[in-house]
Amino acid sequence: MEQVALITGAADGIGWAMARRFAEAGCRIMLADIDGARACDRAAALGTDHAAVRADLSDEASTVAMVEATLSRMGRLDILVNNAGIGDSHRPTLEQDVATFDRILRVHLDGTFMASREAARAMIGRGGAILNVSSIAGLTGLPRRNAYGAAKAGIVAMTKSMACEWAGSGIRVNAIAPGYVGTALVAKLEAEGRIDRARLERRIPMGRLADPAEIAEAAWFLCSAAASYVTGAVLSVDGGWSAFGDAGSAS
């Protein structure tokens, strides 16, 4: 039987790359995104076996409804990918405000918790895989990324906790921690002068940003039968960023 994968933040960037890769592997995809119209267009591009739902991961009712819609439309849920997220302000700590800080944690951390909880209720007794998207910001220190880094570090801890709790129920929970990826968001930050791409590429041992498809390949591995004995793992997909200790080369 075909597996059903619910992917949040699936309308663009890494999420869209994941949707395409998982569909190529034979999954039926429910694409969830706060831009419902965009998600519908993406689902249509994948084919008639796929569907879309508008979801606001900062809102509990919307998150619950997202999982319910998946079960109603698809009849089952085998894989959840918690990919939805928002960027932070890239401002110095002394200029950061609490409202923005809370919003970032709500979407990333609370959203991952709520979606995982609802998906697990559908998976317990029959098994499944949950993949959480963390970041190098959750594993290392990045200046001016307090809220984002805290949220992504929290996702790492949550991944390990849920993995241990649900292993006996046949639910595997893992995470990936991407580095800098060549998405439209990164291009926007570069255009605004908030990041220096050349400097980043000097800091990355592989000398380049990732392609979204490369992140999607790692995601599919952890959700597939090839990783059947892997749970509670955090896989860095960062071109060697987190392994390399010579930060001076980034100057």
Side-chain angles (χ1 to χ4, degrees), residues 184-205:
L185 175 59
V186 169
K188 179 176 181 290
L189 292 172
E190 183 181 9
E192 294 172 350
R194 297 189 179 217
I195 64 171
D196 182 338
R197 182 171 181 141
R199 184 182 182 189
L200 290 176
E201 289 176 342
R202 289 196 301 272
R203 171 64 176 80
I204 300 167

Side-chain angles (χ1 to χ4, degrees), residues 78-250:
D78 303 287
I79 298 168
L80 167 67
V81 180
N82 285 306
N83 170 71
I86 57 175
D88 59 16
S89 64
H90 285 253
R91 292 179 177 175
T93 299
L94 299 182
E95 298 176 12
Q96 294 172 15
D97 62 272
V98 173
T100 301
F101 193 97
D102 287 348
R103 170 69 175 166
I104 292 167
L105 263 64
R106 181 70 177 170
V107 172
H108 289 270
L109 195 54
D110 293 14
T112 294
F113 158 68
M114 293 185 292
S116 298
R117 181 192 65 191
E118 296 307 307
R121 286 173 172 162
M123 293 175 179
I124 285 175
R126 50 184 306 274
I130 296 174
L131 180 71
N132 298 324
V133 178
S134 181
S135 166
I136 57 171
L139 304 178
T140 62
L142 295 183
R144 301 180 298 176
R145 308 296 297 278
N146 289 321
Y148 188 82
K152 292 303 190 179
I155 286 173
V156 169
M158 190 186 307
T159 296
K160 295 176 181 291
S161 177
M162 290 176 173
C164 295
E165 182 176 349
W166 293 334
S169 298
I171 302 172
R172 296 186 302 107
V173 187
N174 292 294
I176 56 173
Y180 285 92
V181 184
T183 63
L185 175 59
V186 169
K188 179 176 181 290
L189 292 172
E190 183 181 9
E192 294 172 350
R194 297 189 179 217
I195 64 171
D196 182 338
R197 182 171 181 141
R199 184 182 182 189
L200 290 176
E201 289 176 342
R202 289 196 301 272
R203 171 64 176 80
I204 300 167
M206 291 186 71
R208 63 177 178 84
L209 274 61
D211 186 281
E214 294 177 300
I215 309 301
E217 287 291 347
W220 172 245
F221 163 70
L222 286 173
C223 292
S224 74
S228 60
Y229 198 60
V230 180
T231 196
V234 181
L235 176 62
S236 295
V237 192
D238 60 8
W241 177 289
S242 57
F244 185 42
D246 185 10
S249 66

Side-chain angles (χ1 to χ4, degrees), residues 63-78:
T63 304
V64 171
M66 172 188 73
V67 175
E68 291 177 343
T70 302
L71 295 170
S72 176
R73 173 69 172 78
M74 302 294 200
R76 56 188 289 151
L77 178 57
D78 303 287

